[in-house]
Structures are given as C-alpha cells and as structure tokens.
Amino acid sequence: MEELMKILNDARPDLDFSKEDKLIDDNVLDSFDIITIVGDINSTFDININVGDLVPENFNSADAIWNVIQSYLNEQ
Amino acid sequence: MNIIDLIENANKNFPDRQAYKFHEESMTFREVYDTAYSVATKICLNSQENSPIVLILNKNIYVPSIYLGVALSNCFYVALSTEMPKSRIEEIVEFTQAKLIITDGESLDMVKSLKFKGGGIFTIADCINQEKDVSLVESRRKNIIDTNPLYVLFTSGSTGTPKGVVTSHGAVLDYVETFVKTFQISKDEIFGNQAPLDYIAGIRDIYIPMLVGCKTVFLQKNLFSTPKILFEKLNQEKVSTICWVSPALALCCHFGVFDEVKPLYLKKIFFTGSVLDCECLNKWKEELPNALFVNHYGPTEITASCTFYIVDNSLNYKKIPIGKAFANRKVFVLDENNKLAKENQVGEICVTGRCLASGYYKNPQKTKECFVQNPLNDCFPELMYKTGDLGYLGDDGNLYFAGRLDNQIKYMGHKIELGDIEGLANSCKGINETCCIYDTKNSVLVLFYSGEASAREISIFLRESLPSFMIPRKFISLESLPKLYNGKIDRQSLKAQLGL
C-alpha cells in the first residue's frame, strides 16, 4: 500500500488520497493522471493492468486501486 | 456565405435529422436553429454588436446552439475551459473586456465568484428560454460579413499577454467545406467527438453536421480514462468517424483495449495534434484493416489543419508524413534566408490562404511577428503564417514534421511552451531553479528542480495558474541542476537521466 500511495502522491501531490473516494466519478483524476498512474503501477508491481479493469469502481479510491493490484498479484 | 447560412440551409434541407447527441439528450437541426435564435435574442438585448461573449461551458447538448446564437447576433465567442484556473479566466475576461458571460448551472458559482466588471452573467437555461425576437436578431444578422470573427481561441501559455487566435466565419467555412469534399463526408456519418468544444479540434465535430446533415455524438471526458467503456460507447452509438488527437488513439493501444472490445462501425479515423507513434498506428491498422486512417497537421492559427496524409494500410511506417496541403491553401517550407527549401532540407513550415486566422486579439506585435508578407511574393500583399514548426519536403512529395523552432512541445494535442512552466515554477517559494522535460517515452511532463520546496507545494502552486495538462506529473529534486559551459541548464543531460 505504501508503494501505491507513493505512486499516487507523486502523480498528484496536491490530493489527499486517504480521503478521496470518487476519483473518477468526480473527474478528480483525468486521463493524464491515469496514464501516469497505471504506467507506474505496472512497472512497480510488475503486472499489466488489463483495460477491462479500467473502470470507475476500480479507480475511485486508493483502496479500490489497491484491491485491483492485489488481485493481479494473487493470480501470479 | 457565413456560418449562419450553414445552419439555415440545414434547417431547410434536413430539419428533422439528429444533429447532436450527448448522453441521452439529442437535438435536431431545426431545434438547433430555433434555439440559436433564442440565444441570439438574449445576446442582442444585452450586448453591443461585434463584441466578445465569453463562454464557460462544460460539454453540453446546447453548446452548438450557443455558438450559433453568438454568431447570429454578430458577436464572437471566447470559449474558455471550465478547467482553466480561475486566475487565468479572470485575466482573459479582463483582457477581452467582455461584458457578457454565458455559463452552465454547474459552473455558475465559480463564474459568479470571478472578478468581472462586465456584469452580465447568464446560464444556458436563461438563453434557451428567452422569448425570440426574430426582427431584432435579423437586424444584426444582416450586418455579418464573412471576415468578421466567429471566435477567439486562447491557446495555452501562462505568462504575459494572453494569446487569442481570431478566426473568421470565412476561415471556418473554408475548412469545413474543404474537409467534407476531400473525405466525402456524407449525411450517414456519425462523429464521435473527443476534443473539448472550446478547443480547435472541436470545430469539425460542431460545424460539419450543419453542412452535410450528419450527426455528432459528444463523448464525455472521463470515458477517456476508461477505454473499454469508451469503445462500448462507440459501438452503442454506431460511431463511424473520429477526429481525435493522437494521444487519445495512443491511449487505446497503450491499454490494449482491442483485446476486450472491437469498434464495429468505425470507418474513418483522423488523428491530429501531435505525432502518432507508428507502432500504435500499426496496431489500429491491424485491428481495423478496412478503415481509412488520415494524419492531419496544422496549428490553431490556420484553422484546424492545413495538410493531410492518407495512410497506406499496406505500408509499415517509420515516420508518418503530414502529407500535402488541403485544397485552397498553400503549405511550404522556407529556409533561414526566406527562400523555398530544397527537397529534404529542413526549414520552417509556412501557410497562405483563406484558412489563415485574422491575427492575435489585441496583440499587434505578436500578430506582426507571425503573420507576415509572403517573402516569395514581391508583387502584391499576400499574408503568410509562420508556424514555428520545422518540416521538410520528402522525396515522395510529402511534407514531414521535424520538431519546433523553440522549446514548445505538443502534449495530448495541447501546445505547451516548457518555458512557461519553468517560468512559473521558478516563482514558487523554496525553488532555486527548474527545468521541465517532456518524457516522450512515458508521455509524462517531468520537472527537475533544486530548492527545499516539496513536490506537493510545487504541484499545488502550479495548479493555481496552469491547466491540468501543463502540470508535471513527476518532480525530481536535485542538489543543483547540471550546467553547460555557458551557464545554461544542460537539458540533454537531464533527458539522459530519464533514458531519453
């Protein structure tokens, strides 16, 4: 989780990710952010997030993103 | 002919066809035409002729009617993004001396809090519910000439005088007509709009339907964060044509969306805004072997695009040409002595024709620098626009893009002057020096800096004045920045640090 928080805070140091829960629904993150964040997650965790998982409910909060990463790591 | 004739003809020839769709709302050409008269009445009652009307609107089904309403009242629109920082909006409103702002319910509170001396603020609802006064509107409409501005578009840039590109009815009409003819756009086409409507690329999606009777579906912005849902939407709306910035196409490859959903109806794909990665183009070609792929090139100042290149689906490209000039404009390369460059010789790309913007709003000096007498013509006045882009004419007769004369980059279709970001970042407390680099491999803006400021402080500081696409997403703190012998920051060595 720490690594994820670092990625998120690097991309958007202006946000408090522990509080946000509508990152996509409320357009808090835009596609510029998503590209950066997904790219960093893929290289940090050595996974390849499938486009099918790029849905609002998976990216609305740090916890939700963490769950997605976990599900990839568990599959490996 | 002016833009109003377009919608009038549409209303005559295919009034009941759907023109625009956004979410579940749609409008026919008749509805667009009627609504434009209501909007125009509101504007005529509240502003002088030939004056700027500032629009601060999110994507909305009524946007085309608002644009036309402004034009009908013989005024011009200054469309500003709702995402633009408040201070920049205030600066532009002040600069244009606009007396009237039209906004939507969502942005009303923000607009009301602006420092705005003009006074008139109306919402979309105020405008479309206005009782029509046709004779009042007609008294303005008869004064429109096609060299009058249709809009002023402010390009990015955070420092100094705002740069507003003034574009006439005639220039937009010329572009729309030429585009439709060149690519045989028919009434059965369905456009899927990606670009924000306050951005130059939006003019195709807005004005082409009026000419041919086809439809544009506006795609909301957050679809581009979720490519799978985006493709499903394209299928659901049977989108046949897209004019997207290259990064939007790249995004779809990047996330491998084709493995999940295939666009079933896409036939024509136009890309523009920046260089498209060949690997990405190949992927699209592979998935849609029968589609037409067209590369486009052109800055805002020549109205959307001035050259195009139709991709040969059987070729594998190392570099995609920007192609040849559209009909009715000349595009050529000049060397540093203002002579026509030889084949394969890099020079500045220059453009002449009716497509040229009229100049920069209230900025005669900048206008004089960029809109000049064509040096190849010493017989009569002929205006030429110097793009500041480098290019060359290849052996195959096609033009190729070769970078910028200055430190400008194109990111997600937006022109960005890296110096603008650095200039502002340098004024942030706790920063000694900065250097902004575009990491082309990862499509990320990176800010190198020295000083005790934290990334968080810099990011928040920049967000006060810059739009989202100009905010670096990576901040790298160094003891001090590497220098060249002349004391200038060594950009190359910083690029090398990023593996570029």
Side-chain angles (χ1 to χ4, degrees), chain A residues 10-14 24-25 27 30-36 38 40 50-52 54-56, chain B residues 222 224-229 251 255-257 260 411-412 455-456 459-460 463 468-469 473-474:
Chain A
D10 272 359
R12 289 295 301 270
D14 55 313
I24 304 289
D25 288 343
N27 283 320
D30 57 25
S31 48
F32 305 100
D33 298 317
I34 293 290
I35 290 181
T36 314
V38 172
D40 281 358
N50 189 291
V51 67
L54 286 182
V55 290
Chain B
N222 54 13
F224 289 84
S225 298
T226 55
K228 186 187 166 200
I229 305 176
L251 183 122
F255 290 127
V257 61
E260 297 278 328
Y411 177 46
M412 290 292 210
R456 181 183 146 76
S459 179
I460 291 174
R463 275 175 195 277
S468 171
F469 60 83
R473 295 298 195 276
K474 285 248 182 321

Side-chain angles (χ1 to χ4, degrees), chain B residues 402-422:
Chain B
R404 284 287 305 175
L405 273 169
D406 47 28
N407 251 333
Q408 203 178 64
I409 59 143
K410 274 226 171 171
Y411 177 46
M412 290 292 210
H414 297 279
K415 267 190 211 171
I416 297 177
E417 188 65 61
L418 294 175
D420 277 353
I421 301 172
E422 292 162 359

Side-chain angles (χ1 to χ4, degrees), chain B residues 319-332:
Chain B
K319 185 166 184 177
I320 308 165
I322 56 173
K324 299 187 167 112
F326 276 99
N328 208 28
R329 63 217 69 201
K330 262 192 302 188
V331 183
F332 45 96

Side-chain angles (χ1 to χ4, degrees), chain B residues 113-163:
Chain B
S113 72
L114 291 174
K115 278 184 231 129
F116 171 46
K117 293 188 204 119
I121 298 175
F122 294 114
T123 61
I124 293 179
D126 296 333
C127 296
I128 63 176
N129 294 323
Q130 168 71 40
E131 200 181 322
K132 273 180 283 194
D133 182 342
V134 174
S135 63
L136 172 67
V137 175
E138 292 299 328
S139 72
R140 291 267 191 107
R141 181 181 167 184
K142 69 175 172 32
N143 300 336
I144 304 174
I145 53 175
D146 78 350
T147 46
N148 282 3
L150 176 65
Y151 59 77
V152 177
L153 213 150
F154 283 88
T155 54
S156 69
S158 62
T159 47
T161 319
K163 218 169 91 179

Side-chain angles (χ1 to χ4, degrees), chain B residues 64-314:
Chain B
S65 309
I66 304 273
Y67 285 6
L68 290 166
V70 173
L72 256 177
S73 50
N74 199 14
C75 290
F76 51 93
Y77 57 87
V78 179
L80 303 180
S81 166
T82 53
E83 284 164 34
M84 204 180 256
K86 218 175 120 183
S87 59
R88 189 63 176 169
I89 293 181
E90 284 174 340
E91 203 177 346
I92 293 174
V93 170
E94 166 82 28
F95 179 73
T96 59
Q97 298 281 301
K99 295 284 184 290
L100 196 61
I101 300 180
I102 297 175
T103 186
D104 50 30
E106 243 172 284
S107 317
L108 185 60
D109 285 341
M110 184 273 285
V111 172
K112 276 186 170 162
S113 72
L114 291 174
K115 278 184 231 129
F116 171 46
K117 293 188 204 119
I121 298 175
F122 294 114
T123 61
I124 293 179
D126 296 333
C127 296
I128 63 176
N129 294 323
Q130 168 71 40
E131 200 181 322
K132 273 180 283 194
D133 182 342
V134 174
S135 63
L136 172 67
V137 175
E138 292 299 328
S139 72
R140 291 267 191 107
R141 181 181 167 184
K142 69 175 172 32
N143 300 336
I144 304 174
I145 53 175
D146 78 350
T147 46
N148 282 3
L150 176 65
Y151 59 77
V152 177
L153 213 150
F154 283 88
T155 54
S156 69
S158 62
T159 47
T161 319
K163 218 169 91 179
V165 180
V166 181
T167 302
S168 68
H169 282 249
V172 173
L173 208 53
D174 175 67
Y175 180 69
V176 171
E177 284 171 345
T178 309
F179 188 94
V180 164
K181 235 188 258 170
T182 310
F183 303 112
Q184 291 155 10
I185 304 294
S186 77
K187 65 174 184 358
D188 301 317
E189 226 79 60
I190 298 177
F191 283 77
N193 155 271
Q194 169 259 326
L197 301 180
D198 44 69
Y199 176 58
I200 183 70
I203 75 166
R204 283 181 283 261
D205 302 322
I206 294 211
Y207 294 105
I208 288 175
M210 297 179 205
L211 182 61
V212 297
C214 66
K215 174 166 86 174
T216 290
V217 178
F218 299 134
L219 304 168
Q220 74 266 29
K221 194 181 148 202
N222 54 13
L223 282 176
F224 289 84
S225 298
T226 55
K228 186 187 166 200
I229 305 176
L230 171 69
F231 272 27
E232 286 166 352
K233 177 85 177 164
L234 295 183
N235 284 342
Q236 185 196 330
E237 298 291 349
K238 300 196 166 61
V239 167
S240 66
T241 305
I242 54 177
C243 307
W244 288 1
V245 294
S246 306
L249 293 185
L251 183 122
C252 300
C253 302
H254 188 82
F255 290 127
V257 61
F258 289 104
D259 299 339
E260 297 278 328
V261 192
K262 302 227 188 292
L264 300 172
Y265 304 93
L266 267 187
K267 298 276 182 310
K268 295 184 175 121
I269 293 139
F270 300 95
F271 49 99
T272 174
S274 51
V275 181
L276 180 65
D277 180 53
C278 290
E279 213 175 294
C280 169
L281 175 66
N282 289 336
K283 178 74 185 158
W284 273 85
K285 274 167 38 187
E286 199 182 296
E287 296 291 341
L288 301 170
N290 298 316
L292 175 80
F293 288 92
V294 186
N295 187 17
H296 272 223
Y297 159 81
T300 306
E301 286 86 343
I302 55 79
T303 316
S305 52
C306 56
T307 71
F308 69 97
Y309 176 79
I310 296 180
V311 172
D312 182 339
N313 288 18
S314 67

Side-chain angles (χ1 to χ4, degrees), chain B residues 20-57:
Chain B
Y20 306 104
K21 187 168 181 205
F22 185 50
H23 294 296
E24 293 317 309
E25 293 175 294
S26 63
M27 280 180 96
T28 63
F29 290 98
R30 188 203 312 276
E31 287 166 335
V32 172
Y33 183 71
D34 283 346
T35 310
Y37 268 84
S38 298
V39 176
T41 305
K42 191 75 173 177
I43 295 170
C44 290
L45 290 170
N46 291 284
S47 79
Q48 302 284 320
E49 223 165 317
N50 297 312
S51 61
I53 310 295
V54 169
L55 309 179
I56 303 175
L57 301 168

